[in-house]
């Protein structure tokens, strides 16, 4: 099985580190980049300011780290829109997305909404798939996208764009963490977003994907299938532990990302085990079924 081709390689995307701090993506959306770049967060966390033009209101999606410089940039984006924050939405509980949710919600006097009460806080709102939020002069549909984490949500805008959090990244592929992540749920969530026919994918990290969002989702599905075949082939070739599988399958990936690759590998092995395609050996060993 050949590696699937990533359609983004031919797109005119910003180079790593080249994303502007603030960008107007469409009349409904301003993106503000948090200053927390890393191998896992790419250029940093994308915070989205969403609201109907002229409404005087906006929603913050994924406020990100509780950082003073980032807060100042977000407040400047609100001022530029002539808007006050009326709600804070969070795609999932990871700190690079959720850390600022409660303190900023308190600062703005705005409720926090997320998939779990732990993130939304005692005065927040717990969201469920299929809800439609009427906020800031626009409608926002809540889309359940578990997989990367069990509490992951995406938000579909009236323009057709989908704010996908860590479900899809602007560059590379997302990590399905283990044991909190679930590959089966992740694949189902990719298909759910695909079925929405998004006009754009506004990612939690990396540039926005506007040229052919469906092709990126197709690539993500094909990439997961390819990784499964690689793992099975590596097992047949003699790799028996997670570390050996990572070394064989992710040889082209920088070694500092191997711990994340190990998480995705464990999550994929859990899927293959549930399907009866691999079986657990002694200790950390795995073998073909």
């Amino acid at each position: 099985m050949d590696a699937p081709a990533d359609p983004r390689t031919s797109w005119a995307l910003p180079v790593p580190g080249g994303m502007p701090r603030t960008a107007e993506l469409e009349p409904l959306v301003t993106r503000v980049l948090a200053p927390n770049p890393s191998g896992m967060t790419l250029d940093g966390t994308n915070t989205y300011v969403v609201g109907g033009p002229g409404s005087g209101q906006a929603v913050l999606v994924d406020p990100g780290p509780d950082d003073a410089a980032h807060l100042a940039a977000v407040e400047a984006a609100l001022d530029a829109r002539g808007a006050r924050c009326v709600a804070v939405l969070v795609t999932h509980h990871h700190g690079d997305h959720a850390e600022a949710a409660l303190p900023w919600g308190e600062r703005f006097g705005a409720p926090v909404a997320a998939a779990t009460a732990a993130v939304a806080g005692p005065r927040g709102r717990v969201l469920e798939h299929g809800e439609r939020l009427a906020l800031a002069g626009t409608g926002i549909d809540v889309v359940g996208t578990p997989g990367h984490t069990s509490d992951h949500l995406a938000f579909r805008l009236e323009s057709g764009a989908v704010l996908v959090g860590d479900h899809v990244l602007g560059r590379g592929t997302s990590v399905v963490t283990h044991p909190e992540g679930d590959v089966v749920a992740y694949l189902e969530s990719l298909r759910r977003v695909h079925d929405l026919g998004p006009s754009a994918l506004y990612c939690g990290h990396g540039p926005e994907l506007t040229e052919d969002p469906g092709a990126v989702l197709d690539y993500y599905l094909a990439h997961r299938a390819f990784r499964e075949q690689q793992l099975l082939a590596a097992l047949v070739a003699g790799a028996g532990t997670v570390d050996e599988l990572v070394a064989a399958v992710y040889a082209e990936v920088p070694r500092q990302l191997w711990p994340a690759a190990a998480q995705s590998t464990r999550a994929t092995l859990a899927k293959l085990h549930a399907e009866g395609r691999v079986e657990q050996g002694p200790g950390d060993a795995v073998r073909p079924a």
Side-chain angles (χ1 to χ4, degrees), residues 100-117:
L102 292 178
W104 289 14
E106 186 74 20
R107 177 182 181 88
F108 294 122
V112 177
T116 66

Side-chain angles (χ1 to χ4, degrees), residues 11-127:
W11 297 3
L13 298 177
V15 298
M19 291 176 61
R21 184 67 178 273
T22 302
E24 303 294 328
L25 304 187
E26 59 172 88
L28 285 172
V29 184
T30 302
R31 175 181 49 73
V32 183
L33 179 63
N36 62 332
S38 73
M40 295 299 295
T41 61
L42 306 182
D43 293 59
T45 299
N46 293 325
T47 296
Y48 294 96
V49 182
V50 179
S55 68
Q57 299 179 347
V59 173
L60 300 184
V61 180
D62 281 354
D66 188 13
D67 174 88
H70 186 43
L71 174 60
V74 168
E75 290 182 327
L78 287 166
D79 289 344
R81 297 180 70 91
R84 63 182 180 88
C85 174
V86 297
V88 177
L89 308 183
V90 185
T91 59
H92 64 298
H93 70 274
H94 285 166
D96 58 314
H97 294 257
E99 181 185 61
L102 292 178
W104 289 14
E106 186 74 20
R107 177 182 181 88
F108 294 122
V112 177
T116 66
V119 177
R123 294 185 295 277
R125 176 175 175 177
V126 175
L127 300 174

